[in-house]
Amino acid sequence: MASYLQIADDEKGHELDLFCVPRHYENDLDKVIIPHGLIMDRTERLARDIMRDMGGHHIVALCVLKGGYKFFADLLDYIKALNQNSDKSVPLTVDFIRVKSYCNDKSTNNVKVIGGDELSSLSGKDIVETGRTMQTLLSLLSECNPKMVKVVSLLVKRTPRSSGYRPDYIGFEVPDAFLVGYALDYNEYFRDLSHICILNDQAKEKYKV
Ligand code: IMP
Ligand code: MG
């Protein structure tokens, strides 16, 4: 079982005023739930755990866009740092895939996948809620018979809607709330926010499509 940092259901988070948040989002957010620095610290450790387990395998790192792009880039930077500062190193190539299933704050049951032309052994993802997106992607990847597939997700949501799917590596387990920031979006907004925050109800209306 993957270990993770648990954010409790009654986690109060941090006041917005204590952090730097873009002016245009100031009235849309409730609390900072995971500050950017903590994301980075946890990601650094995930990189170490992954490299320990990967042995000498060549890694094809597959980024699940758009929400996974920040996590992917930062995770790969830490993996690169390990690769260039230790006696053991593994070649790393990258690929990108785009999936879309959400409208407003709800899953639409329809997972669209675009792109990706190589097999993956490591897949970097933003958040697993029901697990449906990842299960769809995994069944697509299995058609290419990869040697090994490992899934890394920064966040996993504790929710009764979960299918029970768990990634191989997990950054944080988070409460059942809609989270934005660090590339996680609400109808494409809030990717340009460094910290992971809870969206307020007023903002859900404001950015609704
Ligand atoms: P799943 O298929 O239900 O596991 O949902 C995973 C996908 O839904 C993620 O890749 C996100 O795009 C989106 N998603 C689920 N929960 C959140 C959230 O709290 N904030 C932003 N996007 C979310
Ligand atoms: Mg999204």
Side-chain angles (χ1 to χ4, degrees):
M1 270 277 280
S3 47
Y4 49 82
L5 198 158
Q6 180 155 8
I7 310 285
D9 284 336
D10 60 359
E11 166 68 48
K12 290 185 184 57
H14 310 282
E15 293 296 332
L16 285 182
D17 292 349
L18 298 172
F19 291 89
C20 294
V21 169
R23 272 282 149 78
H24 53 271
Y25 291 145
E26 258 175 13
N27 299 322
D28 302 329
L29 306 166
D30 252 357
K31 285 280 163 62
V32 172
I33 199 94
I34 314 178
H36 184 254
L38 183 56
I39 300 172
M40 297 303 281
D41 290 335
R42 179 72 190 120
T43 303
E44 182 176 17
R45 179 55 198 249
L46 286 173
R48 199 172 103 181
D49 293 349
I50 290 163
M51 289 305 275
R52 179 199 59 206
D53 299 346
M54 277 294 167
H57 295 280
H58 170 162
I59 299 177
V60 180
L62 180 70
C63 175
V64 185
L65 295 170
K66 296 179 187 172
Y69 96 89
K70 279 297 295 168
F71 176 52
F72 183 81
D74 289 332
L75 181 66
L76 259 59
D77 278 350
Y78 284 121
I79 290 179
K80 269 164 48 193
L82 290 171
N83 258 338
Q84 65 203 16
N85 291 304
S86 54
D87 299 331
K88 222 179 63 179
S89 75
V90 295
L92 189 68
T93 53
V94 297
D95 200 1
F96 300 86
I97 201 165
R98 180 152 175 216
V99 298
K100 187 169 169 54
S101 66
Y102 267 61
C103 182
N104 297 324
D105 58 352
K106 296 281 176 316
S107 168
T108 60
N109 275 326
N110 175 14
V111 183
K112 281 194 216 120
V113 182
I114 314 161
D117 49 27
E118 270 198 84
L119 308 187
S120 139
S121 55
L122 178 70
S123 167
K125 190 157 180 2
D126 57 345
I127 184 165
V128 171
E129 183 172 317
T130 62
R132 207 177 287 133
T133 307
M134 211 50 236
Q135 282 169 319
T136 306
L137 204 53
L138 282 172
S139 74
L140 271 174
L141 287 174
S142 71
E143 288 171 16
C144 309
N145 298 312
K147 226 186 256 169
M148 172 164 81
V149 179
K150 295 281 181 202
V151 178
V152 195
S153 185
L154 178 65
L155 310 172
V156 170
K157 211 178 269 188
R158 268 190 310 280
T159 166
R161 295 183 301 287
S162 166
S163 66
Y165 169 75
R166 301 290 280 191
D168 300 287
Y169 301 92
I170 300 170
F172 302 85
E173 195 190 69
V174 293
D176 195 2
F178 200 78
L179 304 175
V180 292
Y182 193 67
L184 273 87
D185 74 305
Y186 178 77
N187 294 333
E188 298 303 325
Y189 290 93
F190 304 101
R191 297 199 200 272
D192 56 334
L193 167 70
S194 298
H195 314 290
I196 294 180
C197 300
I198 297 195
L199 197 62
N200 64 31
D201 292 336
Q202 199 184 312
K204 284 188 188 173
E205 274 308 311
K206 179 172 162 192
Y207 299 97
K208 208 176 200 124
V209 290

